[in-house]
Amino acid sequence: TTWAPVIKVQLIVQELLQQVAPLLRRNWNVSVSPTHNDPEASGKLLKALTAGRAGIATLKASAANPRENQYMVITYSMKRRQIIGLIPQDSFAFLLTLRREAAKLKRR
C-alpha cells in the first residue's frame, strides 16, 4: 500500500456529510494546504468549500485489500478560517456508509 502521489478531491453536498458525521467523531484532524502548482484548482476548491460543500479524497489505495484504503473528508472551518481534513479511523466503514447514504439521496 502506498500513498497517492496526487490527491484528487470529489465534492459532496453538505447533507451527505451530515449523514456520515457520526463516523467522523473519532478521527484524526489535519490542516490542509492546497499546493500552489495549480492556483486555479486551489481557488475553485476553496470557493466550493466556503460555499458549504465538502470533499472526499483518497489518501491511500490498495486494490488488494480495500479495508486498508484511507480517505479524508475536506471541509472549511469558518471558525479557524482554514481548510481542515478529517481522517476517519475506520475508513472502510466510513466509505460503506457514505455510499449507502449517497444512494438514499439519489433516490429522493
Side-chain angles (χ1 to χ4, degrees):
T1 306
T2 58
W3 290 99
V6 174
I7 297 174
K8 295 184 180 182
V9 178
Q10 180 177 354
L11 293 176
I12 62 171
V13 294
Q14 192 69 25
E15 186 178 355
L16 183 55
L17 180 60
Q18 291 169 348
Q19 297 299 320
V20 297
L23 292 172
L24 295 173
R25 287 196 181 115
R26 291 186 9 207
N27 60 57
W28 294 287
N29 294 329
V30 295
S31 178
V32 177
S33 298
T35 65
H36 296 287
N37 295 343
D38 190 347
E40 183 180 344
S42 296
K44 286 180 180 179
L45 176 63
L46 184 59
K47 184 177 180 180
L49 295 176
T50 56
R53 307 273 312 256
I56 304 292
T58 302
L59 300 178
K60 187 167 52 170
S62 169
N65 187 358
R67 289 186 178 273
E68 290 182 8
N69 293 350
Q70 194 72 50
Y71 303 95
M72 177 172 58
V73 175
I74 299 172
T75 188
Y76 186 79
S77 170
M78 294 292 205
K79 183 178 178 182
R80 295 182 189 174
R81 298 183 144 245
Q82 71 180 41
I83 300 172
I84 58 170
L86 307 168
I87 304 172
Q89 288 185 7
D90 187 348
S91 280
F92 187 72
F94 170 78
L95 186 62
L96 291 177
T97 303
L98 182 71
R99 287 180 177 164
R100 184 179 66 240
E101 295 300 327
K104 285 181 190 177
L105 281 175
K106 282 183 181 181
R107 286 191 295 261
R108 290 186 194 169

